[in-house]
Amino acid sequence: MKLQHFTLLFTISLMLFNCQTAEKETVKEEEKINTSTIYVGTYTRKEGHVDGKATGIYELKMNVETGELSIIDTIEGTINPSYLAIHPNQKYLYAVNEIADGSRIGTITAYNIENEKAQKINEVSSKGDAPCYISIDRTGKFVLVANYMETIASYEIEKDGSLSEAVEVVEHKRERAAVFRQETGHPHIILPAMNNKTLFVADLGLDEILHYELNEKGEFTKVATTETVPLSGPRHLVFHPIYSKCYVLNELNITVEVFETKAANEPFERIQMINTVGDIDENVAPSAIKLHPSGKFLYVANRGINGGTGHNITAFSINESGELSFVASYSTEGEVPRDFEISPDGRFLLAANQNSNSIITFKINTTTGELESTGQQLEIKTPVCLKFL
């Protein structure tokens, strides 16, 4: 009887344990369904334009119903991991280390993010000072980097996610007379086209969008140049998913230029230029530009400068011709929104306030493009770039 009693108790205990385990697994699965993972690039030390205070790359989760954010983990031991890129296979994360102190050139760091704790894979030279943007070609074979000080570079991605040394480095030099902030070439974004054979580089120092072909070895060949308005300072650009349009964000003259895109090896044709803050007279420097997943709206971040307080996100509607109309500007409830991101489902916009150490969540009206504050915010030290996994 004693043995039977023990056996019964053991069986009941095992059933209870299995039930609890199943419940925990169910909760975990529900959490996965109800949350998105976001990686946040930051500044970790003082540079000429920012007093970096973060400790590395932050991993966040966002409640997809409310927009609430919380910190999951921090990837430490890296300097100024300002801009990030996630491999299409979702296994690897790449960060530029934005170093420009004259004693050490910038670097790029690769991480494996498959497991619960991210692991550093390797680090290579960015082949230029102040690497400010990083992307991955559509095939997932190459990492592409723009160094603010004159160069772009490509790197082969090895089977384990590690990076080779630079495959090719191209230098951008200004041939015209130097002017304020345009004393030389300043590549600010390197973006692969949907066909994956062409890359586009916005160069703030040259007032040019440079078109490059990317071959199977990761080498660049320049095939065309699109000139922006003189003294405009092109910083970032995006392509419309349906219309043959390219939207170029100009930092120096505070505008968005809209171009008709012909063949990739031909210059684009300008069809519109519009101020990034509408008719408002504000002292700002635009920082980032993003398209809504629907293709109906465009958003631009503006940083107040020279005493200006216009730290905001401006919303534009896009008509059937691909042209822009001003909707409204919305305070980011902080200072210096260096970057922002739109959730994959198009319901939320997250603004990273670099100088006030916060990420603010806005709800997007998917009919009008208007933004509404959710009241959700998270303290993050000197945030820069946001990437959804």
Side-chain angles (χ1 to χ4, degrees):
M1 292 293 292
K2 290 183 177 180
L3 179 60
Q4 291 176 338
H5 182 63
F6 174 79
T7 302
L8 179 60
L9 288 175
F10 177 78
T11 301
I12 293 172
S13 297
L14 183 61
M15 290 173 63
L16 289 172
F17 174 78
N18 288 337
C19 287
Q20 291 172 347
T21 301
E23 287 176 1
K24 288 180 180 178
E25 291 300 321
T26 300
V27 169
K28 287 183 179 179
E29 288 302 315
E30 288 178 352
E31 286 181 351
K32 287 181 181 179
I33 293 171
N34 294 326
T35 60
S36 291
T37 300
I38 305 165
Y39 288 91
V40 183
T42 67
Y43 286 111
T44 63
R45 72 179 193 183
K46 188 175 180 62
E47 299 292 342
H49 64 289
V50 59
D51 185 9
K53 298 176 181 178
T55 56
I57 301 168
Y58 296 102
E59 182 182 353
L60 312 181
K61 67 177 180 180
M62 184 186 82
N63 184 305
V64 298
E65 296 300 325
T66 66
E68 181 181 8
L69 300 171
S70 56
I71 299 175
I72 300 174
D73 200 6
T74 306
I75 305 172
E76 300 182 340
T78 183
I79 300 173
N80 292 347
S82 60
Y83 273 80
L84 311 175
I86 297 174
H87 194 278
N89 67 14
Q90 308 284 286
K91 295 180 181 180
Y92 309 120
L93 172 72
Y94 300 95
V96 297
N97 300 107
E98 194 175 325
I99 301 167
D101 58 11
S103 63
R104 183 184 175 194
I105 208 163
T107 59
I108 314 163
T109 307
Y111 297 93
N112 187 315
I113 56 173
E114 281 186 277
N115 302 317
E116 190 170 328
K117 187 71 176 178
Q119 297 293 323
K120 179 179 176 179
I121 305 174
N122 75 327
E123 183 178 311
V124 296
S125 169
S126 72
K127 298 296 182 179
D129 285 340
C132 59
Y133 199 89
I134 186 167
S135 59
I136 299 170
D137 79 313
R138 304 293 178 184
T139 67
K141 293 181 179 179
F142 301 102
V143 159
L144 311 164
V145 171
N147 293 291
Y148 184 74
M149 294 307 297
E150 299 183 343
T151 61
I152 59 172
S154 62
Y155 302 80
E156 188 172 0
I157 300 173
E158 309 291 355
K159 290 182 179 180
D160 64 352
S162 62
L163 294 176
S164 70
E165 292 300 319
V167 173
E168 183 164 28
V169 181
V170 174
E171 191 173 36
H172 286 194
K173 286 287 189 180
R174 183 179 172 92
E175 297 177 356
R176 289 166 287 183
V179 295
F180 173 67
R181 297 231 16 225
Q182 294 185 313
E183 69 285 353
T184 187
H186 291 311
H188 220 304
I189 189 173
I190 182 165
L191 194 67
M194 292 302 293
N195 65 12
N196 197 55
K197 294 181 180 180
T198 314
L199 306 172
F200 298 94
V201 179
D203 194 306
L204 185 147
L206 303 184
D207 289 332
E208 292 177 349
I209 308 301
L210 297 100
H211 308 214
Y212 289 96
E213 275 192 3
L214 180 73
N215 69 16
E216 294 181 355
K217 296 179 181 179
E219 298 167 333
F220 303 132
T221 300
K222 190 169 76 169
V223 294
T225 300
T226 296
E227 294 187 1
T228 59
V229 171
L231 306 180
S232 57
R235 178 184 174 95
H236 283 184
L237 56 87
V238 291
F239 290 89
H240 198 279
I242 301 171
Y243 309 134
S244 299
K245 299 294 185 293
C246 175
Y247 303 91
V248 179
L249 179 64
N250 294 318
E251 181 174 348
L252 301 185
N253 74 350
I254 318 175
T255 64
V256 176
E257 283 184 82
V258 184
F259 290 92
E260 181 77 31
T261 60
K262 301 177 181 180
N265 61 355
E266 294 181 20
F268 299 154
E269 179 185 349
R270 183 186 305 105
I271 62 170
Q272 184 188 19
M273 187 166 71
I274 189 169
N275 194 288
T276 66
V277 286
D279 295 328
I280 304 169
D281 183 17
E282 289 189 314
N283 215 351
V284 300
S287 59
I289 185 169
K290 303 287 169 71
L291 272 165
H292 191 270
S294 68
K296 296 192 297 182
F297 312 110
L298 183 82
Y299 298 91
V300 170
N302 296 289
R303 300 160 290 173
I305 59 170
N306 302 325
T309 58
H311 307 286
N312 58 53
I313 302 288
T314 297
F316 297 92
S317 62
I318 301 174
N319 66 20
E320 292 181 356
S321 299
E323 296 181 344
L324 302 176
S325 296
F326 177 80
V327 175
S329 289
Y330 304 87
S331 168
T332 60
E333 303 174 16
E335 296 180 4
V336 186
R338 191 167 187 87
D339 194 24
F340 66 97
E341 192 57 272
I342 298 170
S343 61
D345 63 7
R347 296 175 60 199
F348 294 102
L349 183 150
L350 280 60
N353 290 308
Q354 173 191 286
N355 285 17
S356 54
N357 307 308
S358 65
I359 297 176
I360 307 295
T361 303
F362 294 89
K363 190 172 183 180
I364 299 174
N365 184 318
T366 55
T367 301
T368 65
E370 296 173 312
L371 301 182
E372 177 185 349
S373 178
T374 63
Q376 303 286 355
Q377 64 176 296
L378 180 68
E379 181 179 350
I380 291 286
K381 300 295 184 183
T382 44
V384 184
C385 173
L386 304 167
K387 291 293 180 183
F388 277 85
L389 183 66

